[in-house]
Amino acid sequence: MGRFLLKRILQGAIVVIGVTVVVFVVTRLIGDPVRVMLPLEATAEQRAAFAAQLGFDRPIHVQFFDFIGSALRFDFGNSLWQDRPALEIVLEALPRTLLLVGASMVLAVIIAVPLGILTSLKPGGFLDRLLVTLSLTGLSMPNFWLGLLLIVIFGVQLQIFPIFGSGTLMHAVLPAVTFALPSAARLVMLTRSAMIDELNKSYVALVKAKNVPFRRLVGAHAFRNAAVPVMTMTGWEIIRALAGYSVVVETVFAWPGLGFLAIQSITRQDLILLQAIVFVVALMIITINILMDVAYKYIDPRIKLT
Amino acid sequence: MAQTVAAPGIATPGITRRFAGVVGELWKDKAGFFGLLVMSTLILVAIAAPILAPHDPAAQSLSARLDPPFWLEGGSLEHPLGTDNLGRDVLSRIIFGSRVSLIVGLGVVAIAGTVGTVLGLLAGYNGGRVDSLIMRWLDTQLAFPGLLLYLVILSVVRPSLLVLIVILPINAWMVYALLVRGVVLSAKETPYVEAAEIVGARPKRIIFRHILPNLAAPLLTLAVLEFASAILAEAALSFLGLGIQPPEMSWGLDVAIGREYVFNAWWLVTFPGIAIALTVLGANLFASWLRIVADPHEREKRFAAGVSMTGGRGA
């Protein structure tokens, strides 16, 4: 266990350094940070002064080691847009994203697991076909569009929920549902197929023969085994939400989390803030990955960690 | 070497019969047929856009701003799906927008598919150091926040159609490599590949002649699915303002324009969104049909199910 953790943390560290290197290469070598961050009408003197102020005029290898070093110390510099430490801004937005993602994953699991179990009991039946069709349709919708549809229906037509910003708990409902629905659709399909697999296994016949009530057979025996892939998938859904969907969904609802902040940092031409966001998100994803691996061990003792 | 002799003469009628068989089978699976229908419509619409579109998609008209669709009060058949904030015809914009989706989808699949397949073949067939190098790289990149990487690139490079086609494969190649490697690894263990090796066939021949045919079906299915996800990615990036830039046209971009008018013109976000969702749904349905039809094991299962369902003798 200890060796496994050490190995995974080392792997994680490689990824974090990799992310930092890629960000450096893209922003400093492919793009010109001075041109990106200053308005087009800036004079040559302004550009030179700006470059000197942020150290872009130094040799590239000096910049590189400085960049890596300060990233590992969580020192990204001041955001150009808000003129305060970028990390501070990121850490303010982070809980809002975590709240949204957390709430939506709870919602997705609550919706998906019972439905997935229900459909698995009668594959090919009416309910099964209906839910599979619904899930496929739901998965085909782009999530920004799903969000906008919810805004049109529940915000504009029915006027039940506020549609932009954050503030009250009501503000979180529509964005959380937008996150949750596609995840729920994927989880329904997965729970269904995992349960069908389990119910066809021979131990189920034994349990049946022992006259165990059907409800107990499904809940206590089959689902306990099917839960492993379902939990893996939920972990992946969280990662997906943090690493990608949050940008789109939060922008649709102007929810002031990390994703919306990333888009704002691009429109405000604030590369420093964007770098801080990418670094923090990468760190979170790696942490979740490691936690997932450890959680396996506890759910399924057959799994050996190497 | 005997199998190479059975060739041209017999192949032609076999192919036509096989084609007829495939169409017949497709008609039986309504969802798969719908998927094929949607995908062929997309291609046709994209090619024939100038003929099909009732208006110039970029033509602005101040007198016809925010006209609703024809079935609502104030709408007319002049603009069947209404007009946007500048009086541009929504239907024509959707018709022309299909071109971007198709090009991005095909371009990304072509690049990512080629790179992923080559790397997957290398890793799977060679094994050893090449394999562990490629797999290490994959593991590392899989832990990488994909969309954020796009954002970093798009913050310094001015986004365009070409840029999207080049950067989307940066993440998309991985699934192909994983799939190909898996198939190659299992094909390598089969008796016929071992036999070919014993007979002394060169690696190139083994890969192309014996292993690649195993890949055709799963790769095709994956390509169709990835076609759909490339379209979704383009739409999302364009929606965020980091993809196709005006005056170019794209469904995602049109949804973004419509977003400003959700309060009084719901059709602006609705119709381009339906176009995206329908295309993606079509590709997904077509892929799930392909997966079953192209896989002999799945076909057998389905056949068995069909027999037992019709109250037959099989079960």
Side-chain angles (χ1 to χ4, degrees):
Chain A
M1 187 71 191
R3 259 190 72 193
F4 165 77
L5 262 183
L6 200 71
K7 199 176 150 196
R8 287 305 316 258
I9 290 171
L10 216 70
Q11 260 178 3
I14 294 172
V15 176
V16 171
I17 293 171
V19 169
T20 322
V21 172
V22 169
V23 168
F24 179 85
V25 169
V26 172
T27 54
R28 304 289 159 88
L29 298 180
I30 299 177
D32 173 4
V34 177
R35 194 181 56 83
V36 172
M37 289 195 269
L38 281 188
L40 281 175
E41 60 271 16
T43 62
E45 292 89 64
Q46 281 172 324
R47 282 171 201 276
F50 181 77
Q53 186 198 338
L54 290 178
F56 295 143
D57 54 350
R58 294 173 298 166
I60 200 77
H61 64 274
V62 176
Q63 285 189 51
F64 177 76
F65 288 113
D66 185 45
F67 184 84
I68 302 277
S70 41
L72 295 181
R73 277 181 280 119
F74 288 95
D75 173 19
F76 302 95
N78 274 11
S79 150
L80 296 179
W81 164 35
Q82 300 194 5
D83 197 29
R84 58 194 180 109
L87 187 68
E88 195 180 302
I89 306 172
V90 171
L91 291 182
E92 266 172 35
L94 180 63
R96 302 199 195 102
T97 296
L98 290 180
L99 170 78
L100 210 54
V101 172
S104 61
M105 285 309 136
V106 172
L107 194 63
V109 171
I110 291 177
I111 300 174
V113 169
L115 286 180
I117 295 178
L118 214 60
T119 51
S120 73
L121 299 181
K122 234 184 152 187
F126 172 74
L127 188 71
D128 181 33
R129 282 195 215 172
L130 180 76
L131 273 170
V132 169
T133 314
L134 270 181
S135 305
L136 251 181
T137 316
L139 285 179
S140 303
M141 292 185 189
N143 48 7
F144 59 90
W145 188 60
L146 179 63
L148 283 169
L149 279 192
L150 293 177
I151 287 180
V152 169
I153 296 169
F154 294 100
V156 179
Q157 304 289 338
L158 302 175
Q159 304 201 339
I160 303 175
F161 297 110
I163 53 179
F164 293 119
S166 65
T168 67
L169 211 56
M170 290 296 265
H171 281 95
V173 174
L174 289 185
V177 170
T178 309
F179 265 122
L181 285 182
S183 298
R186 275 187 291 267
L187 283 173
V188 167
M189 309 268 253
L190 182 84
T191 310
R192 172 181 174 276
S193 65
M195 280 298 287
I196 291 177
D197 279 355
E198 283 305 321
L199 288 172
N200 281 331
K201 283 189 181 157
S202 47
Y203 74 86
V204 170
L206 174 72
V207 176
K208 262 188 202 158
K210 280 166 63 184
N211 216 7
V212 170
F214 189 64
R215 195 182 276 257
R216 200 177 140 68
L217 160 69
V218 171
H221 293 271
F223 182 68
R224 189 165 286 188
N225 287 316
V228 176
V230 173
M231 291 204 72
T232 313
M233 183 75 149
T234 311
W236 277 108
E237 290 295 329
I238 294 174
I239 289 176
R240 242 186 247 237
L242 287 176
Y245 296 159
S246 64
V247 175
V248 179
V249 176
E250 288 180 2
T251 305
V252 170
F253 292 95
W255 178 269
L258 275 187
F260 188 38
L261 195 65
I263 291 298
Q264 282 174 309
S265 71
I266 293 177
T267 45
R268 308 260 174 178
Q269 304 177 312
D270 188 349
L271 279 184
I272 293 170
L273 184 54
L274 185 62
Q275 284 161 4
I277 296 169
V278 173
F279 190 84
V280 168
V281 172
L283 212 59
M284 269 193 317
I285 290 175
I286 288 152
T287 314
I288 293 171
N289 258 323
I290 296 176
L291 287 179
M292 264 164 64
D293 284 337
V294 175
Y296 274 152
K297 179 75 190 152
Y298 286 99
I299 302 165
D300 190 343
R302 284 171 303 181
I303 292 172
K304 287 214 169 61
L305 301 176
T306 46
Chain B
M1 297 296 127
Q3 75 270 36
T4 48
V5 184
I10 315 164
T12 333
I15 281 172
T16 44
R17 200 179 312 140
R18 212 193 275 172
F19 183 71
V22 166
V23 172
E25 219 165 312
L26 194 49
W27 175 243
K28 264 186 255 158
D29 185 330
K30 296 291 182 278
F33 187 76
F34 174 76
L36 181 69
L37 202 70
V38 169
M39 299 209 34
S40 15
T41 312
L42 176 76
I43 296 170
L44 278 180
V45 166
I47 294 171
I51 306 167
L52 291 171
H55 296 272
D56 175 354
Q60 306 183 1
S61 159
L62 288 179
S63 58
R65 284 165 51 197
L66 298 178
D67 276 358
F70 72 89
W71 62 86
L72 290 181
E73 208 183 310
S76 71
L77 277 174
E78 175 73 15
H79 301 288
L81 299 181
T83 58
D84 69 2
N85 53 321
L86 299 173
R88 296 174 295 191
D89 184 47
V90 171
L91 178 63
S92 305
R93 291 183 70 78
I94 290 177
I95 290 174
F96 272 90
S98 67
R99 292 185 154 182
V100 165
S101 294
L102 187 69
I103 293 172
V104 170
L106 292 178
V108 172
V109 166
I111 298 177
T114 313
V115 174
T117 307
V118 169
L119 289 177
L121 278 175
L122 278 178
Y125 191 77
N126 289 334
R129 209 178 272 172
V130 183
D131 184 37
S132 69
L133 187 75
I134 292 175
M135 289 314 285
R136 281 271 162 79
W137 178 266
L138 248 166
D139 279 343
T140 314
Q141 212 197 322
L142 279 173
F144 212 92
L147 186 82
L148 286 177
L149 178 65
Y150 296 153
L151 293 190
V152 172
I153 297 174
L154 291 170
S155 67
V156 293
V157 180
R158 202 187 121 78
S160 69
L161 181 65
L162 189 69
V163 167
L164 286 185
I165 295 178
V166 172
I167 68 167
L168 287 179
I170 294 178
N171 277 316
W173 70 273
M174 292 187 281
V175 250
Y176 296 95
L178 282 173
L179 174 90
V180 170
R181 178 176 177 271
V183 174
V184 171
L185 281 183
S186 62
K188 244 170 64 174
E189 302 302 315
T190 55
Y192 61 85
V193 170
E194 277 174 7
E197 270 168 356
I198 291 166
V199 171
R202 288 173 198 284
K204 206 170 139 195
R205 181 179 169 85
I206 293 177
I207 289 180
F208 286 99
R209 191 87 207 169
H210 299 282
I211 293 180
L212 260 181
N214 286 298
L215 280 169
L219 259 185
L220 193 64
T221 311
L222 183 65
V224 175
L225 283 175
E226 285 292 302
F227 174 79
S229 34
I231 288 179
L232 276 178
E234 179 275 318
L237 287 174
S238 296
F239 172 78
L240 292 172
L242 297 170
I244 306 297
Q245 301 292 317
E248 300 296 316
M249 257 158 283
S250 140
W251 293 337
L253 187 61
D254 277 2
V255 173
I257 296 171
R259 184 184 170 215
E260 312 288 316
Y261 298 89
V262 280
F263 291 102
N264 43 14
W266 55 267
W267 54 92
L268 288 185
V269 292
T270 309
F271 295 122
I274 290 179
I276 304 169
L278 207 61
T279 306
V280 173
L281 180 65
N284 282 338
L285 290 174
F286 185 59
S288 63
W289 172 81
L290 258 183
R291 187 179 62 81
I292 293 168
V293 171
D295 181 346
H297 300 293
E298 288 285 342
R299 282 179 71 116
E300 217 163 84
K301 263 193 231 165
R302 173 170 274 213
F303 179 71
V307 171
S308 65
M309 245 186 253
T310 48
R313 316 136 277 179

